Amino acid sequence: MDIKTETILEKQEAKAPLSQLWDLLYWRDAQKTACVFGATLSLLISLSLLSIISVCSYISLALLSITICFRIYRGITDALQKSENTHPFKLYLEQDVTLPADVIQKHSDVLLKYINTAVKALKHLFLVEDLIDSLKGAGLLYVLTYVGSVFNGLTLLIIGEVAAFTCPILYEKYQKQIDHYCGLVNSYLQDIAKKIQAKVHGLKNKAE
C-alpha cells in the first residue's frame, strides 16, 4: 500500500466518526437518534436530580439485575426443557474487549492536538496578541457570568443537548431565513468591531 492510499484511508477513518455524528444530529435514522437522544437526556436529567454516584449505582444495579434475572431464567428454561445448559452470554464473554494499543495511540494524538490548539487560543486571548479578539473574549466571559448565575453546568448541558438535536434539523428546513438574519447580525457586529478598532488606533496615534 503506497503513501497516498494510506493518507486517503486515514482521512476516511477520521471523517467516519464525524459523519456518524452528523447523521445522528440530522435525524437520518430517526429510531437510532431517538434512542441516543432519549438515553443521554435521561442521564443528564438524572444527574441534575441525583448525585453522580447515585446515578451510576442505580444504572449499574438495574443492568446487573437484568443480566442476573435473564441468567436465572435461561437456567430454569433449559432445566425444564432438559436441554444443554449453555451460558446465555457466552458469545459476549468470548469476545476480546481489550483496547488495541494503536487505537489508544491514535486517539491520544488527536486529543493532544486539540489540547495544544486550545492552549494556543488561550494564550492568544489572555496575553492580548490581538486586542479585538481579547475584547470579544472578555465580552463573552462577561455574558457567561450572567448565564452562570441563572443556570448551573448540568442545566446548560441539557439545553445544549436539546439544541444540538433540534437546531441542525431546523437549520436544514429554514436555512435561507436563518442565513439572512445571521448575516445581518454578523455585519452589525463587524461594524461595532471596526468602530472600536478605529477608536483604539486613534488613541494610540494621540499617545504617540
Side-chain angles (χ1 to χ4, degrees):
M1 187 181 294
D2 57 5
I3 298 176
K4 289 184 178 180
T5 306
E6 290 181 356
T7 305
I8 293 171
L9 290 175
E10 287 178 358
K11 289 181 178 180
Q12 289 177 349
E13 289 178 358
K15 290 180 179 179
L18 289 176
S19 177
Q20 293 175 1
L21 177 61
W22 286 120
D23 288 342
L24 278 176
L25 296 180
Y26 280 97
W27 295 76
R28 304 300 184 209
D29 187 344
Q31 185 177 3
K32 185 177 180 181
T33 301
C35 291
V36 173
F37 179 51
T40 52
L41 185 61
S42 300
L43 177 61
L44 289 175
I45 293 174
S46 300
L47 288 173
S48 66
L49 299 175
L50 302 169
S51 68
I52 187 170
I53 297 175
S54 298
V55 172
C56 293
S57 299
Y58 280 127
I59 292 174
S60 302
L61 183 61
L63 181 61
L64 187 59
S65 300
I66 292 171
T67 53
I68 290 174
C69 291
F70 186 69
R71 176 78 168 87
I72 295 172
Y73 169 76
R74 281 295 302 271
I76 294 172
T77 53
D78 290 341
L80 292 175
Q81 295 174 359
K82 296 181 180 180
S83 59
E84 184 182 357
N85 189 6
T86 58
H87 199 290
F89 303 113
K90 183 180 179 181
L91 178 64
Y92 300 103
L93 289 171
E94 292 176 350
Q95 289 182 353
D96 186 12
V97 294
T98 56
L99 292 174
D102 56 343
V103 173
I104 296 175
Q105 182 66 35
K106 183 175 70 174
H107 286 84
S108 62
D109 290 342
V110 174
L111 180 62
L112 183 62
K113 180 181 176 182
Y114 284 121
I115 291 173
N116 289 332
T117 303
V119 170
K120 289 180 181 178
L122 292 174
K123 183 178 73 172
H124 173 78
L125 287 176
F126 285 97
L127 298 182
V128 199
E129 185 177 357
D130 187 299
L131 181 60
I132 301 301
D133 289 342
S134 296
L135 288 173
K136 289 179 181 178
L140 178 61
L141 292 174
Y142 184 72
V143 171
L144 288 177
T145 59
Y146 284 96
V147 174
S149 64
V150 178
F151 305 103
N152 59 28
L154 282 171
T155 305
L156 289 176
L157 283 176
I158 292 171
I159 295 172
E161 183 180 4
V162 173
F165 280 92
T166 53
C167 290
I169 193 69
L170 290 175
Y171 178 74
E172 192 175 39
K173 289 182 179 180
Y174 306 103
Q175 183 175 358
K176 291 183 179 179
Q177 295 90 326
I178 294 173
D179 287 343
H180 173 68
Y181 288 111
C182 286
L184 293 175
V185 173
N186 189 32
S187 61
Y188 177 72
L189 293 176
Q190 285 181 352
D191 290 338
I192 293 176
K194 287 179 181 178
K195 290 178 181 178
I196 294 173
Q197 194 170 10
K199 289 182 178 179
V200 170
H201 286 309
L203 291 174
K204 284 183 178 179
N205 292 330
K206 287 182 181 180
E208 291 174 356

